[in-house]
Amino acid sequence: MSVNQYIAALAQYGIDKGLIEACDRTWAINRLIDALGLHSYEDETPVEASLEDILKGLLDDAVARGVCEGDVTSRDLLDTRLMGILTLPPREVRARFAELYAKSPREATDWYYQFSQDTDYIRRYRIAKDVRWLAETEYGELVITINLSKPEKDPKAIAAAKNAPQSGYPKCQLCAENEGYAGRMNHPPRQNHRIIPVTIAGSHWFLQYSPYVYYNEHCIVFNAQHTPMVIDRAAFMKLMDFVTEFPHYFVGSNADLPIVGGSILSHEHFQGGHFTFPMEVAPVEKELRFVGYDDIRAGIVKWPLSVIRLTGASPERIAGLAEKILNDWRGYTDEAAFILAETDGVPHNTITPIARRRGADYELDLVLRNNITTAEHQLGVYHPHAELHHIKKENIGLIEVMGLAVLPARLKKELSDLADALVSGALLTGELEKHAPWAEELKVKYTFTADNADEILRLETGKVFAQVLEHAGVYKWDANGRDAFIRFIDHVNGEA
């Protein structure tokens, strides 16, 4: 296939998806050939291919002509530039969203989510590579994923990123200034990225989707100002105001301290979407009563982390009680339960909050977090312990708190190779060696065959993730943990 056929196909794709109109075709083709370093074009029959294959054909040609380097980062910079040519300007995207929102918030988000995929900002063909399954545990079904959609940089690209000129623009990958940004070796391109202005609790924010969509309609809501993450009453009100505006979405915030917080603490943001997480359907194990808040239904959720659920008709009342719980938790110490509010002036206690609607009511889950470290647990006492690092070592943020595991890409091959080794009895060496203690435990429980090995490892990986969440829980599901949890509740009620 000739490069002209791929160019014609990309222009036709833009027309078919409503990104450009037929009258824009010549203009779009001229901009495409300019971006590809070409100076002429012969109109030919468009190649019939998927968007992924059309872009691959164009990139392969560009690499062969020396216009683009062959690493994934350089290719992403160029194909995003190409898609940016076909992407509507912000004013048109925002006007269309507002027009649809006036009819229905869901119509608006449905269109915007589809648009974000059609522009290739969300790369559907990469998301499709993610591995995903459900695993039954004592806390219900957990969602297990192995993330393959975020491309891994090769050594050449890593070196290029290190040597690239440092820039403070945009200040971070969340800032509004990313919209339309060309990117560089150490910052992703965003020419095909469009954001939607929203007002939350009277302040200026933006809505966008995550390019990696770990779940359906995985959105990010971020402050228009580059301001740090803070969990306080205002944050609770912002969360509930968002689900007032978008009642079909949930929204939550990472905690505001390292280890138990998200990867970007420097820019206030939330994550939400149209997805039912396992924690949402987890039942209340023990009902609670908070003094002065009889209008708020409250309870401890049957979940591996320590969760207080608040439900009621008034966002202001829920936020008032949540603020009281937060403030009491920030200053709370229970040495018998190894809960220390601070050490040497460094604070440890915070909360991961999640808001949703329950019919006409509002619901706010408050997940108690603590980021203390010790010589034995240098990454965190309430963090996956070393014996689980063969599966999960990274921080437990909002998404995983709610029961969706985002496991490293290495596990796709490692679990497959481990299944083969368990069937054949081969010695675990190299990358599989770290799984050896786990494998020995499994061999006591199961007889592995070629037919059952993969299924068993998926089930047991889910159980390991449940243990990961248990480690992140400040109160364990045993007698001592339950008693300690109630001591905190009593403290909030002024009874301790």
Side-chain angles (χ1 to χ4, degrees), residues 106-125:
R106 184 163 182 173
E107 279 193 49
T109 56
D110 283 351
W111 173 81
Y112 181 43
Y113 188 57
Q114 185 64 47
F115 171 82
S116 298
Q117 295 174 77
D118 290 343
T119 62
D120 209 36
Y121 168 70
I122 297 173
R123 297 175 184 256
R124 285 174 284 209
Y125 44 88

Side-chain angles (χ1 to χ4, degrees), residues 33 143 155 158 170 196 254 274 312 341 374 401 485:
I33 65 173
V143 182
I158 293 172
I196 302 296
N254 269 304
H274 195 194
T374 63
V401 161
F485 205 154

Side-chain angles (χ1 to χ4, degrees), residues 388-466:
L388 305 183
H389 288 179
H390 65 107
I391 296 293
K392 178 70 178 179
K393 183 178 182 180
E394 297 78 16
N395 293 350
I396 304 305
L398 171 67
I399 293 171
E400 292 178 312
V401 161
M402 296 184 291
L404 189 154
V406 182
L407 301 181
R410 63 175 172 82
L411 283 177
K412 181 182 180 182
K413 184 175 189 303
E414 288 179 15
L415 290 177
S416 177
D417 291 347
L418 180 59
D420 292 342
L422 287 168
V423 172
S424 67
L427 188 67
L428 302 184
T429 59
E431 292 299 318
L432 295 185
E433 189 173 357
K434 59 180 168 289
H435 298 294
W438 184 47
E440 290 302 313
E441 294 176 12
L442 298 182
K443 284 193 285 188
V444 174
K445 293 174 62 177
Y446 301 101
T447 299
F448 285 90
T449 69
D451 293 329
N452 69 13
D454 289 325
E455 182 180 352
I456 289 171
L457 287 183
R458 287 191 170 202
L459 173 65
E460 291 295 331
T461 299
K463 291 181 179 179
V464 171
F465 180 59

Side-chain angles (χ1 to χ4, degrees), residues 270-288:
F270 307 142
Q271 295 183 77
H274 195 194
F275 185 74
T276 301
F277 278 85
M279 191 174 82
E280 180 179 339
V281 298
V284 168
E285 174 81 1
K286 180 178 178 58
E287 292 185 358
L288 301 172

Side-chain angles (χ1 to χ4, degrees), residues 141-155:
E141 282 189 332
L142 301 181
V143 182
I144 312 300
T145 70
I146 297 176
N147 177 36
L148 303 172
S149 57
K150 184 180 290 189
E152 295 185 15
K153 294 184 177 181
D154 61 26

Side-chain angles (χ1 to χ4, degrees), residues 101-231:
Y101 185 89
K103 300 177 184 176
S104 158
R106 184 163 182 173
E107 279 193 49
T109 56
D110 283 351
W111 173 81
Y112 181 43
Y113 188 57
Q114 185 64 47
F115 171 82
S116 298
Q117 295 174 77
D118 290 343
T119 62
D120 209 36
Y121 168 70
I122 297 173
R123 297 175 184 256
R124 285 174 284 209
Y125 44 88
R126 286 185 180 168
I127 306 301
K129 296 176 183 177
D130 289 348
V131 180
R132 186 184 190 95
W133 71 91
L134 299 177
E136 187 62 45
T137 73
E138 64 177 294
Y139 305 102
E141 282 189 332
L142 301 181
V143 182
I144 312 300
T145 70
I146 297 176
N147 177 36
L148 303 172
S149 57
K150 184 180 290 189
E152 295 185 15
K153 294 184 177 181
D154 61 26
K156 185 177 179 181
I158 293 172
K162 181 179 179 180
N163 296 327
Q166 296 300 305
S167 170
Y169 181 88
K171 290 181 181 178
C172 76
Q173 291 187 25
L174 287 178
C175 284
E177 288 78 12
N178 283 279
E179 186 177 41
Y181 184 61
R184 51 186 190 269
M185 291 301 290
N186 55 7
H187 192 101
R190 292 290 183 254
Q191 289 105 319
N192 57 349
H193 177 43
R194 299 294 180 264
I195 58 179
I196 302 296
V198 292
T199 300
I200 300 178
S203 56
H204 187 28
W205 286 56
F206 288 102
L207 168 69
Q208 68 174 59
Y209 288 107
S210 166
Y212 307 113
V213 288
Y214 293 138
Y215 51 86
N216 186 50
E217 297 179 48
H218 177 183
C219 70
I220 299 172
V221 196
F222 61 98
N223 198 316
Q225 302 299 315
H226 184 80
T227 188
M229 298 280 290
V230 178
I231 301 299

